[in-house]
Amino acid sequence: MSVVALSGGIGGAKLALGLYRSLPPGKLTVIANTGDDFDHLGLHISPDVDTTLYTLSGLANPVLGWGRRDETWTFMETLERLGGETWFRLGDGDLALHVERTRRLAAGQTLSQVIAAMAQRLGITASILPMSDDPVRTRVATTEGELDFQEYFVRHQCRPVLTGMDYRGAPGARPAPAIAAALADPALEAVIICPSNPYLSIAPILAVPGLRDMLKKASAPVIAVSPLIGGKAVKGPTAKIMTELGIPVSPAAVTDYYGSLIDGFILDQRDASLADGLKSTVKLADTLMNTLEDRERLARECLAFAKELKRP
Ligand code: GDP
């Protein structure tokens, strides 16, 4: 058996960790969003990929929710002292990853190769794949003008009102080479769209030409997990941007958004009354992942649901 997960950063990586711990070694492939990637201080930074690397290797910072645990900040403090740009916080250990990635990319390695090498060094037995080795950059249109994703997300802390977004570079991007094989694996049991932001984390992945088609042709059911609980996002701007874009903040809007791409939807049990309005086969579950046990339990529910939905 093998499983493919589509994931953004923090919310998605929580379920990816549950899946990782519930599957035999080598059976999980995570396709990570790289629409959030950016060049900063001369370095190539891949926030969602790095969150996945740190989460699966047990290095994630449980307090901050991003970056590495037991981090030190000498670089940032020194940069501040020198009058450098400090709006994007980079811990010392985290910085090493960005420096090494940038060096390897400049030496001609692809992003896939760099991530695979880092994952191996960190002892991760899952395949972590960028959605593409070609640059795709999420840009948001806001009432205060157009912004790069990280400027919107980190520098302006999602305050500007969003009016649209664009996944720049996506039309010419190719799926990372290992994605086709992962989705065509005859032993594939499930494709899980993690509870990530559908518009800012999953949409850039789906915007890479060819990827939707591979998902449709996969022999396993595609299941999305609701990123909303009780009409709210657990964290992050999902509900805020849905409101700003004139989309009702409801699981039905999410299932409509994924449309025929998904075969099933895991709805939070707190929202059971909304199940009838969803245009998808629904399974109820407690989707709130606070503890490690929650992540593993939800992962098992996803895998059991996939068995029920087996494609003909
Ligand atoms: P990302 O999009 O994966 O980078 O992660 P975020 O942390 O920004 O969260 C994106 C979405 O995931 C939001 O809509 C959150 O509500 C949702 N999310 C985060 N944690 C959980 C959780 O424990 N359970 C569920 N169901 N959704 C979650």
Side-chain angles (χ1 to χ4, degrees), residues 10-177:
I10 299 168
K14 288 202 274 184
L15 182 56
L17 178 62
L19 291 164
Y20 182 55
R21 292 175 59 92
S22 307
L23 291 165
K27 298 301 177 192
L28 175 67
T29 298
V30 181
I31 302 175
N33 170 40
T34 52
D36 293 9
D37 285 22
F38 73 130
D39 290 301
H40 184 59
L41 307 176
L43 301 171
H44 180 108
I45 300 181
S46 293
D48 285 356
V49 167
D50 296 350
T51 296
T52 311
L53 284 170
Y54 293 150
T55 302
L56 297 195
S57 61
L59 290 173
N61 188 316
V63 181
L64 292 176
W66 52 268
R68 296 168 60 111
R69 63 166 71 237
D70 305 322
E71 188 60 284
T72 55
W73 300 93
T74 306
F75 169 74
M76 217 66 228
E77 284 155 17
T78 312
L79 190 64
E80 185 159 23
R81 189 102 200 266
L82 297 174
E85 269 190 66
T86 55
W87 59 271
F88 194 87
R89 313 279 304 155
L90 293 170
D92 298 336
D94 193 26
L95 180 66
L97 175 58
H98 309 312
V99 169
E100 180 57 10
R101 173 173 33 230
T102 306
R103 183 192 72 77
R104 287 177 184 245
L105 288 171
Q109 291 188 21
T110 64
L111 191 56
S112 292
Q113 289 169 333
V114 177
I115 296 167
M118 299 293 121
Q120 197 198 3
R121 289 268 170 180
L122 295 176
I124 297 170
T125 59
S127 302
I128 301 175
L129 307 177
M131 63 197 200
S132 178
D133 286 335
D134 303 317
V136 177
R137 297 290 173 263
T138 300
R139 302 261 306 163
V140 295
T142 77
T143 48
E144 293 168 39
E146 209 180 296
L147 296 169
D148 282 337
F149 179 78
Q150 295 302 337
E151 285 192 330
Y152 163 75
F153 196 71
V154 178
R155 192 177 220 165
H156 298 289
Q157 303 191 336
C158 308
R159 277 187 299 262
V161 173
L162 203 102
T163 55
M165 49 258 177
D166 170 40
Y167 315 109
R168 190 165 290 176
R174 294 152 299 176

Side-chain angles (χ1 to χ4, degrees), residues 188-213:
L188 186 67
E189 295 247 323
V191 177
I192 314 286
I193 301 181
C194 291
S196 289
N197 187 317
Y199 313 95
L200 295 175
S201 295
I202 303 298
I205 302 177
L206 300 176
V208 176
L211 234 146
R212 272 178 183 272
D213 215 41

